[in-house]
Amino acid sequence: KNEVEQSPQNLTAQEGEFITINCSYSVGISALHWLQQHPGGGIVSLFMLSSGKKKHGRLIATINIQEKHSSLHITASHPRDSAVYICAFSTGTASKLTFGTGTRLQVTL
Amino acid sequence: NAGVMQNPRHLVRRRGQEARLRCSPMKGHSHVYWYRQLPEEGLKFMVYLQKENIIDESGMPKERFSAEFPKEGPSILRIQQVVRGDSAAYFCASSPVQRPNYGYTFGSGTRLTVV
């Protein structure tokens, strides 16, 4: 079993829809990261959080440490949000990241 | 203030050749991480380096792969005698400290194709 699981694997939404991507992990972590990767492109760090909630523009990330679960929300989705969204964690004893397999999001007009 | 610079963006090598991938971290960042993304798979950690030191190489294949981060110049990931299974995207990330409060900065990656 992977240490970090994401759902759904693939997601198609219409422009304007509210989107939620989920991430569950099975170990104690020091921080949870959300990353964005466009096809053939580089990786952009969206959020790093260890508790509560963070917001940046139309993106919101939440984490529940007790339930070992995090969500990434996109409000008023737009076709330019189409990308792969990756959840990753770091632990207290290591700074390397362990990644989920990603959620492929397609937002259509 | 340039971000993390990786070059080349695309690299084609024949089986048995050597591949050298370069990563220049952000200015002021002394911690470098290399990750590999195999086709249709997730990212996997390879190695973590500080200037002149390898801190964690638990993700590096035992043979043919090596990494360095010299006092001067970029970090280098070196793959000797490449095989088709080495074809992947290799990403570098950097941070100013071991466990940054705001996350890591990634490069655009090097896409290695072995023919």
Side-chain angles (χ1 to χ4, degrees):
Chain A
K1 188 183 188 305
N2 290 334
E3 290 179 304
V4 55
E5 300 277 356
Q6 284 187 239
S7 64
Q9 284 189 313
N10 295 283
L11 181 57
T12 300
Q14 284 199 316
E15 184 178 11
E17 284 188 14
F18 180 84
I19 288 162
T20 295
I21 299 170
N22 295 300
C23 173
S24 296
Y25 52 92
S26 57
V27 299
I29 67 170
S30 59
L32 192 289
H33 301 250
W34 283 101
L35 310 165
Q36 179 193 58
Q37 184 177 25
H38 282 100
I43 296 168
V44 175
S45 182
L46 299 175
F47 294 105
M48 173 180 167
L49 64 166
S50 54
S51 64
K53 175 180 173 177
K54 286 190 176 180
K55 184 175 189 293
H56 182 73
R58 296 180 294 106
L59 301 178
I60 303 165
T62 63
I63 188 167
N64 184 318
I65 296 294
Q66 287 73 30
E67 294 186 4
K68 292 187 167 60
H69 181 269
S70 176
S71 293
L72 177 69
H73 305 285
I74 305 175
T75 61
S77 59
H78 190 276
R80 64 174 174 267
D81 297 327
S82 298
V84 175
Y85 292 84
I86 304 167
C87 164
F89 68 78
S90 53
T91 66
T93 56
S95 46
K96 66 185 180 186
L97 294 177
T98 300
F99 299 86
T101 52
T103 294
R104 191 175 302 273
L105 171 66
Q106 180 76 32
V107 181
T108 59
L109 291 169
Chain B
N1 185 15
V4 176
M5 304 300 291
Q6 287 189 251
N7 65 81
R9 287 294 303 273
H10 299 274
L11 181 61
V12 179
R13 283 287 177 266
R14 294 187 184 279
R15 280 178 296 170
Q17 289 185 321
E18 178 179 288
R20 280 182 177 244
L21 288 61
R22 293 174 186 78
C23 169
S24 296
M26 279 189 71
K27 188 177 180 181
H29 286 196
S30 58
H31 299 250
V32 164
Y33 308 80
W34 285 94
Y35 297 95
R36 178 166 67 172
Q37 187 174 42
L38 292 166
E40 303 305 318
E41 290 189 24
L43 287 148
K44 295 283 195 294
F45 168 76
M46 298 185 76
V47 62
Y48 163 36
L49 310 103
Q50 292 180 32
K51 285 282 187 182
E52 300 184 279
N53 286 305
I54 296 175
I55 306 302
D56 181 354
E57 57 182 347
S58 58
M60 287 281 267
K62 294 287 185 285
E63 297 176 348
R64 302 187 297 108
F65 285 71
S66 62
E68 62 176 6
F69 188 15
K71 188 177 179 182
E72 301 291 337
S75 175
I76 306 287
L77 180 67
R78 182 180 176 209
I79 312 171
Q80 295 179 291
Q81 299 173 337
V82 296
V83 300
R84 289 235 171 95
D86 297 331
S87 295
Y90 293 81
F91 290 93
C92 167
S94 74
S95 67
V97 295
Q98 185 173 8
R99 281 185 280 277
N101 291 327
Y102 56 82
Y104 304 86
T105 304
F106 285 81
S108 297
T110 293
R111 270 90 183 157
L112 172 66
T113 302
V114 179
V115 297

